[in-house]
Amino acid sequence: MSIKVIIAGFKGRMGQAAYQMVSGDPELELAALIDPFAEETDVAGVPVFNRKEDLVGLEADVWVDFTMPKVAYENTRFAVENGFAPVVGTTGFIPEQIQELTELSRDKGLGGLIAPNFAIGAVLLMQFAAQAAKYFPNVEIIELHHDKKKDAPSGTAIKTAELISENREKIQQGAVDEEELMPGARGANFEGMRIHSVRLPGLVAHQEVIFGSQGEGLTLRHDSYDRVSFMTGVNLGIKEVVKRHELVYGLEHLL
Amino acid sequence: MSIKVIIAGFKGRMGQAAYQMVSGDPELELAALIDPFAEETDVAGVPVFNRKEDLVGLEADVWVDFTMPKVAYENTRFAVENGFAPVVGTTGFIPEQIQELTELSRDKGLGGLIAPNFAIGAVLLMQFAAQAAKYFPNVEIIELHHDKKKDAPSGTAIKTAELISENREKIQQGAVDEEELMPGARGANFEGMRIHSVRLPGLVAHQEVIFGSQGEGLTLRHDSYDRVSFMTGVNLGIKEVVKRHELVYGLEHLL
Amino acid sequence: MSIKVIIAGFKGRMGQAAYQMVSGDPELELAALIDPFAEETDVAGVPVFNRKEDLVGLEADVWVDFTMPKVAYENTRFAVENGFAPVVGTTGFIPEQIQELTELSRDKGLGGLIAPNFAIGAVLLMQFAAQAAKYFPNVEIIELHHDKKKDAPSGTAIKTAELISENREKIQQGAVDEEELMPGARGANFEGMRIHSVRLPGLVAHQEVIFGSQGEGLTLRHDSYDRVSFMTGVNLGIKEVVKRHELVYGLEHLL
Amino acid sequence: MSIKVIIAGFKGRMGQAAYQMVSGDPELELAALIDPFAEETDVAGVPVFNRKEDLVGLEADVWVDFTMPKVAYENTRFAVENGFAPVVGTTGFIPEQIQELTELSRDKGLGGLIAPNFAIGAVLLMQFAAQAAKYFPNVEIIELHHDKKKDAPSGTAIKTAELISENREKIQQGAVDEEELMPGARGANFEGMRIHSVRLPGLVAHQEVIFGSQGEGLTLRHDSYDRVSFMTGVNLGIKEVVKRHELVYGLEHLL
């Protein structure tokens, strides 16, 4: 029997990608679409709504949410209260809200997922990096993005460094008498590890974690070529939350 | 208190590397060295022997073995019987021997390790590849070695493909109507996965496992520049076997 | 003074990309747009035509052509006869046609370019590979494409191997007693060089040429993430043909 | 007829590698070996000397020099004056000395080579990078070395950046409103280009130059695994200087 899915924010770019993904998977079935900006009343037979309140009582299993930060919490709360297991890619939650939603889901015995990053490959890379750090305390991160990106290092690189840091022996890397002939050459210093940010046109979003040890190297690389990559994670999320009885924060908890 | 180590085969290349590694680690202490070809009676105060029988009754914790296939089984048996936890890099064991040694070690409550590959990075790569294959069934392996290597694909590549195969959904990769304009272009076919072997002077031993999915890629790479890399694994083995009560086959069981 | 450009086939995907590129470059100016399927009579003030004959007598410098194989020759001939230097990305020319158009352009003293590949990076990679092959006769090619690609190896890989082959010492690579435990592992054999074709979802179009020599390696890699990359080459083509007096085949002749 | 070669400094590590290389090439013949620390009078029939003065009048074509900075100039001058074409890997020359030796060689009509870097791959990479920069002004350099290296960036990275800089359009790379959340993340700034220095155990000496443009990337990578790589360049140097009539500084002038 197929899983019945609601997509909130289906007119947006991510919502559209989710619509394509759900439509194309025979194990999934669209139950409803919501978007305040939708003018149609149905899309290929699937009913379209403008307000979430119109979905009370609808028969559906999962609520996929790609809406906006300011409504993400209200939407997720609504989903849980109405028995729709939430799979949420919208950002903007504060820790207290996640805590509260988790408790609410536990009371209801309903699974759920709020994920800042749906790229399975990126999540696996972080997990592998954390594991490898136990044996290889010497590590550097190179993240490469398009040249319109404003911040450096990327959020993913910082998150990766934090995870590594929880597992690796604390050491200051590089030669003791290391000297930067040009400032910044050795990158950013994160507890003795180094992070390097490359920005070039043409690039999308890439990350390399390089471990070095006597006579060997281990490199983990993730390449994100297109946002459509998130849909593999959304698909996994939909199929996992219906088997679970509590909301989790982070795709890694479903892997 | 430091761990007391015997090195069997200390005159060989790997034995010498083990000698350097043990000497340089303050948590380890050399108890004895053995080699049938040794002519000296001590090295820097550490007693040297030609025959294993001379070590009966010696106070030591671990027996590191880098000798020769024809004596590996006898040596390991001797070590276990005399209470030295074996860490064996010598090859040539048949499954029945490993089975028997494992049982013997269990009877004695003694830890031990027989490992065909001591490069931690290579072992981690295989584990990570097996894990990633659960989510990414599309994968190809590229292994790159110096051009004196006779066999293709490498043993490590085949072992990696086997481990991946235990975890991934069975699929035939590539386009359905794929066509090789030149035979061999698509590499070796291992249950639908492809393996490519590159041979060039200058290379040492390298392996890349590339996973592809909608809009993203995940690449795991191991570079072996020098056999000294094995010593990180030997060091780990020594420190782990003293905490255990059974011999294991494969470094992965100690990670 | 800006270069006046006509775009033929402006309604197609490549034509649209060319329109964006020309519009955005202050050194270029749109003189006219042509497409048999266009229904508008102007785009942002630029006149639109359905038939090339309507452009006789128009004041313009360059004719950019992204139309269809069956009209490519006629279009290019028309452009040269009317004094528009052609920059042609449409395929389907036979050698005799290129020969004839080259002679015609020479008579007219008009520059021009017909190019099967407008990605400057790919063309540079081929040139560099040919140069490096003089010093490094040991080389392998790995090309990586999305898994909808039917043919292996790619046309670019074969062209690269041909160029390398003109410059390198003829040798059979790999160990003399090399043995394939699984057929195809060593890839396709092109005059002793090996070519490997990787096909995975997520990938776009990538190529690596790896040279190996005693103790060192040199790797050249091109990544094509998007067809928009061709526009850097079209832009270069437009600016170069106006300085020249003969049509050339292949972007490499303008580098 | 084979080229007759003298090796100065043959007892050192590089001298030994040169000895092996010359001995193994049927087109070359050892004429003499010199080293102040040599105690033997011949090696496999080749005469050994302690002082260069003893070689006056010897019949030889090329003087290979891997000695020490303080004698490099005197040695090279001696070689040229005695008709031995110098191939010098020793460092420590000041520009005036190179100028003077070049003039002296021109007077004698003798070829010669003084090279700070004999790795052909590294020299080719620099040349290719300079060429590519004409078309791709956006570029970053990542150099990776073992963690005993003191200075960052490496001399080769700085030299590469200088060569690129002579050919590329001056631009400031990255987003206009780029922000470093952690200082150093964006690397060292060399005229708007960025240089990143990675230091890890296990690594030897590696450099990547990454060019990015709309929708594409071009990466040039050199891996130095072993100093023996220099011998390909020394071999080339020996065979080229005997055809030339002037000393040059830098292997690139013989490619």
Side-chain angles (χ1 to χ4, degrees):
Chain A
M1 231 188 62
S2 58
I3 301 170
K4 290 187 179 61
V5 179
I6 296 160
I7 299 175
F10 88 101
K11 301 291 277 187
R13 193 167 51 164
M14 292 303 286
Q16 281 294 301
Y19 172 82
Q20 296 295 337
M21 181 273 288
V22 173
S23 306
D25 185 334
E27 296 177 38
L28 306 181
E29 185 186 328
L30 282 164
L33 300 169
I34 324 179
D35 201 300
F37 303 110
E39 293 178 2
E40 58 272 64
T41 56
D42 83 277
V43 173
V46 180
V48 171
F49 302 92
N50 290 118
R51 305 177 326 123
K52 65 176 179 302
E53 289 72 20
D54 298 334
L55 276 81
V56 174
L58 186 88
E59 199 194 327
D61 305 297
V62 174
W63 171 286
V64 171
D65 199 290
F66 284 107
T67 57
M68 274 175 301
K70 66 177 177 183
V71 300
Y73 166 70
E74 282 302 332
N75 277 4
T76 308
R77 187 171 181 87
F78 173 85
V80 177
E81 283 173 343
N82 285 275
F84 310 135
V87 172
V88 183
T90 315
T91 55
F93 291 86
I94 59 172
E96 289 71 24
Q97 293 174 332
I98 292 168
Q99 179 60 24
E100 189 204 312
L101 291 165
T102 303
E103 279 162 25
L104 184 64
S105 74
R106 209 183 291 135
D107 294 346
K108 296 265 178 184
L110 200 70
L113 169 66
I114 298 175
N117 190 342
F118 272 102
I120 294 181
V123 173
L124 285 176
L125 181 144
M126 282 189 251
Q127 289 192 320
F128 296 163
Q131 264 178 274
K134 290 177 200 163
Y135 307 102
F136 294 122
N138 285 284
V139 53
E140 304 213 1
I141 297 173
I142 303 174
E143 52 93 351
L144 311 94
H145 283 83
H146 56 85
D147 66 342
K148 299 281 176 286
K149 188 171 175 64
K150 188 182 163 180
D151 52 315
S154 69
T156 302
I158 293 172
K159 178 111 191 264
T160 305
E162 286 169 355
L163 286 169
I164 287 172
S165 166
E166 289 169 19
N167 285 279
R168 79 166 195 144
E169 181 192 332
K170 302 284 171 274
I171 56 165
Q172 181 64 34
Q173 299 182 192
V176 176
D177 56 352
E178 189 173 81
E179 198 185 346
E180 276 188 344
L181 304 182
M182 296 169 58
R186 286 287 287 120
N189 187 338
F190 185 98
E191 302 186 10
M193 279 181 262
R194 298 292 174 157
I195 307 177
H196 311 270
S197 301
V198 175
R199 298 290 175 266
L200 285 171
L203 291 173
V204 188
H206 317 261
Q207 177 165 296
E208 264 185 40
V209 182
I210 311 178
F211 294 93
S213 184
Q214 266 217 322
E216 68 177 323
L218 178 68
T219 302
L220 311 175
R221 180 176 173 117
H222 182 251
D223 292 281
S224 205
Y225 298 115
D226 195 313
R227 285 195 183 206
V228 72
S229 69
F230 290 176
M231 290 306 137
T232 313
V234 175
N235 186 285
L236 177 87
I238 292 171
K239 291 172 182 172
E240 282 295 319
V241 294
V242 296
K243 302 182 201 159
R244 300 187 179 231
H245 307 288
E246 189 178 16
L247 183 148
V248 293
Y249 179 74
L251 187 61
E252 57 274 26
H253 300 291
L254 303 186
L255 294 184
Chain B
M1 230 189 64
S2 58
I3 301 169
K4 292 190 176 59
V5 180
I6 296 161
I7 297 175
F10 89 101
K11 301 290 278 188
R13 192 166 50 162
M14 292 301 288
Q16 280 297 300
Y19 172 80
Q20 295 297 337
M21 180 273 288
V22 174
S23 307
D25 186 333
E27 295 178 37
L28 307 182
E29 184 185 330
L30 282 163
L33 301 168
I34 323 178
D35 201 301
F37 303 110
E39 293 178 3
E40 57 272 64
T41 56
D42 82 278
V43 174
V46 181
V48 171
F49 303 91
N50 292 117
R51 305 176 326 123
K52 64 178 180 300
E53 290 71 20
D54 298 334
L55 276 80
V56 174
L58 187 87
E59 197 194 329
D61 306 296
V62 175
W63 172 284
V64 171
D65 198 290
F66 285 107
T67 57
M68 275 177 299
K70 66 177 178 183
V71 301
Y73 167 71
E74 282 302 333
N75 277 5
T76 308
R77 186 172 182 87
F78 173 84
V80 177
E81 283 172 343
N82 286 276
F84 310 136
V87 171
V88 183
T90 315
T91 56
F93 291 85
I94 59 172
E96 289 71 25
Q97 293 175 333
I98 291 168
Q99 179 61 26
E100 190 204 314
L101 291 165
T102 303
E103 280 161 25
L104 184 63
S105 74
R106 210 182 291 136
D107 293 347
K108 297 265 178 184
L110 201 69
L113 169 66
I114 299 176
N117 189 342
F118 271 103
I120 294 182
V123 173
L124 285 177
L125 183 144
M126 282 189 252
Q127 289 193 321
F128 295 162
Q131 263 178 275
K134 290 177 200 164
Y135 307 101
F136 294 122
N138 285 284
V139 53
E140 304 212 1
I141 298 172
I142 303 173
E143 53 92 349
L144 311 95
H145 283 84
H146 56 88
D147 66 343
K148 299 283 176 282
K149 188 171 178 60
K150 189 183 164 180
D151 54 315
S154 69
T156 302
I158 293 172
K159 177 113 192 262
T160 307
E162 286 169 355
L163 285 169
I164 288 173
S165 167
E166 288 168 19
N167 285 280
R168 79 168 194 141
E169 183 191 331
K170 301 283 173 275
I171 56 166
Q172 181 63 35
Q173 298 182 190
V176 177
D177 56 353
E178 188 172 82
E179 200 185 342
E180 275 189 346
L181 304 182
M182 297 171 59
R186 287 286 287 120
N189 187 338
F190 185 98
E191 302 187 9
M193 278 180 264
R194 300 291 175 156
I195 306 177
H196 311 269
S197 301
V198 174
R199 297 291 174 267
L200 286 170
L203 290 174
V204 188
H206 317 262
Q207 177 165 295
E208 262 184 42
V209 182
I210 311 178
F211 294 92
S213 184
Q214 267 216 322
E216 67 176 323
L218 179 67
T219 302
L220 312 175
R221 179 177 175 116
H222 183 250
D223 292 279
S224 204
Y225 298 115
D226 195 313
R227 283 193 185 209
V228 73
S229 68
F230 290 176
M231 290 308 136
T232 314
V234 174
N235 186 286
L236 178 86
I238 292 171
K239 291 173 182 172
E240 282 294 318
V241 295
V242 296
K243 302 182 202 159
R244 300 186 179 232
H245 307 287
E246 188 177 16
L247 182 147
V248 294
Y249 179 73
L251 187 61
E252 57 273 26
H253 300 292
L254 301 186
L255 294 185
Chain C
M1 231 188 62
S2 58
I3 301 171
K4 292 188 176 62
V5 179
I6 296 161
I7 299 176
F10 89 100
K11 301 289 276 189
R13 192 167 50 163
M14 292 302 288
Q16 280 295 301
Y19 172 80
Q20 295 297 335
M21 180 271 288
V22 173
S23 306
D25 186 333
E27 295 178 38
L28 307 181
E29 184 186 331
L30 281 164
L33 301 168
I34 324 178
D35 201 300
F37 303 109
E39 292 179 4
E40 59 271 63
T41 56
D42 82 278
V43 173
V46 180
V48 172
F49 302 91
N50 292 118
R51 306 178 323 125
K52 65 178 180 299
E53 289 72 19
D54 297 334
L55 277 81
V56 174
L58 186 88
E59 197 194 329
D61 304 298
V62 175
W63 172 284
V64 171
D65 198 292
F66 284 106
T67 58
M68 276 177 298
K70 66 177 177 182
V71 301
Y73 166 70
E74 281 302 332
N75 277 5
T76 308
R77 186 171 182 87
F78 173 85
V80 177
E81 283 172 344
N82 285 275
F84 310 135
V87 171
V88 183
T90 315
T91 55
F93 291 86
I94 58 172
E96 289 72 24
Q97 293 174 334
I98 291 167
Q99 179 61 25
E100 189 204 313
L101 290 165
T102 303
E103 279 162 25
L104 184 64
S105 74
R106 209 182 291 136
D107 293 347
K108 295 266 178 185
L110 201 69
L113 168 66
I114 298 175
N117 191 342
F118 270 102
I120 294 181
V123 172
L124 285 177
L125 181 145
M126 283 189 251
Q127 289 192 321
F128 295 163
Q131 264 178 275
K134 289 177 200 165
Y135 307 102
F136 294 122
N138 285 284
V139 53
E140 304 213 2
I141 298 172
I142 302 175
E143 53 93 350
L144 312 94
H145 283 83
H146 56 87
D147 67 343
K148 299 283 176 285
K149 188 172 176 61
K150 190 183 163 180
D151 52 315
S154 69
T156 302
I158 294 173
K159 177 112 193 261
T160 306
E162 287 169 355
L163 285 169
I164 287 173
S165 166
E166 288 169 18
N167 284 281
R168 79 168 194 140
E169 183 192 333
K170 302 284 173 271
I171 56 164
Q172 182 63 36
Q173 298 181 189
V176 177
D177 56 352
E178 187 172 83
E179 199 184 345
E180 275 188 346
L181 304 182
M182 298 171 59
R186 286 287 287 119
N189 186 336
F190 185 98
E191 302 187 9
M193 278 181 261
R194 298 292 175 157
I195 307 178
H196 311 270
S197 301
V198 174
R199 297 290 174 267
L200 284 171
L203 291 174
V204 188
H206 317 261
Q207 176 165 295
E208 263 185 40
V209 182
I210 310 178
F211 295 91
S213 184
Q214 266 216 324
E216 67 175 324
L218 180 67
T219 302
L220 312 175
R221 179 175 175 118
H222 183 250
D223 292 280
S224 204
Y225 298 114
D226 195 312
R227 285 196 183 205
V228 73
S229 68
F230 290 176
M231 289 308 136
T232 315
V234 175
N235 186 286
L236 177 86
I238 291 171
K239 291 173 182 172
E240 281 294 319
V241 295
V242 297
K243 302 183 202 157
R244 300 185 179 234
H245 306 288
E246 189 177 15
L247 182 148
V248 293
Y249 180 74
L251 187 61
E252 58 272 27
H253 300 292
L254 302 187
L255 294 184
Chain D
M1 231 186 63
S2 58
I3 301 169
K4 291 188 178 60
V5 179
I6 296 160
I7 298 176
F10 89 101
K11 301 291 276 187
R13 192 165 53 161
M14 293 300 289
Q16 279 296 300
Y19 172 80
Q20 295 297 337
M21 181 273 289
V22 173
S23 305
D25 185 333
E27 296 178 38
L28 306 182
E29 185 186 329
L30 281 163
L33 300 168
I34 323 179
D35 201 299
F37 303 109
E39 293 179 3
E40 58 271 62
T41 56
D42 83 277
V43 174
V46 180
V48 172
F49 302 91
N50 292 118
R51 306 178 324 125
K52 64 176 182 300
E53 289 70 23
D54 296 333
L55 276 81
V56 174
L58 186 87
E59 198 194 330
D61 304 298
V62 175
W63 171 286
V64 171
D65 198 291
F66 284 106
T67 58
M68 276 176 300
K70 65 177 178 182
V71 300
Y73 165 70
E74 281 302 333
N75 276 5
T76 309
R77 187 172 180 89
F78 173 84
V80 177
E81 283 173 344
N82 285 276
F84 310 136
V87 171
V88 183
T90 315
T91 55
F93 290 87
I94 58 172
E96 288 69 26
Q97 292 174 332
I98 292 168
Q99 178 61 25
E100 189 204 313
L101 290 164
T102 304
E103 278 162 25
L104 183 64
S105 74
R106 208 183 291 136
D107 293 347
K108 295 266 179 184
L110 199 69
L113 169 67
I114 298 175
N117 189 343
F118 271 103
I120 294 182
V123 173
L124 285 177
L125 182 143
M126 281 190 251
Q127 289 192 320
F128 295 163
Q131 264 177 275
K134 289 177 199 163
Y135 307 103
F136 294 122
N138 284 284
V139 54
E140 303 212 2
I141 298 172
I142 303 173
E143 52 93 349
L144 312 95
H145 283 82
H146 56 86
D147 67 343
K148 299 282 176 287
K149 187 170 177 64
K150 189 181 162 181
D151 53 316
S154 68
T156 302
I158 294 172
K159 177 112 191 263
T160 305
E162 286 169 355
L163 286 168
I164 287 173
S165 166
E166 288 169 18
N167 285 279
R168 80 167 194 143
E169 182 192 331
K170 301 284 172 274
I171 56 165
Q172 181 64 33
Q173 297 182 190
V176 177
D177 56 353
E178 189 172 82
E179 199 183 344
E180 276 189 345
L181 305 182
M182 296 169 60
R186 289 286 288 119
N189 187 338
F190 185 98
E191 302 187 9
M193 280 181 262
R194 298 291 175 158
I195 306 178
H196 311 271
S197 301
V198 175
R199 297 290 175 267
L200 285 170
L203 291 174
V204 188
H206 317 261
Q207 178 165 294
E208 263 185 39
V209 183
I210 311 178
F211 294 92
S213 184
Q214 267 217 321
E216 67 177 323
L218 179 68
T219 302
L220 311 175
R221 179 175 174 117
H222 182 250
D223 291 280
S224 204
Y225 298 115
D226 195 312
R227 283 194 185 208
V228 72
S229 69
F230 290 176
M231 290 306 137
T232 315
V234 175
N235 186 286
L236 177 87
I238 292 172
K239 290 174 182 171
E240 282 294 320
V241 295
V242 296
K243 302 182 201 158
R244 300 186 179 232
H245 307 289
E246 187 178 17
L247 182 148
V248 292
Y249 179 73
L251 188 60
E252 59 272 27
H253 300 294
L254 302 186
L255 295 184

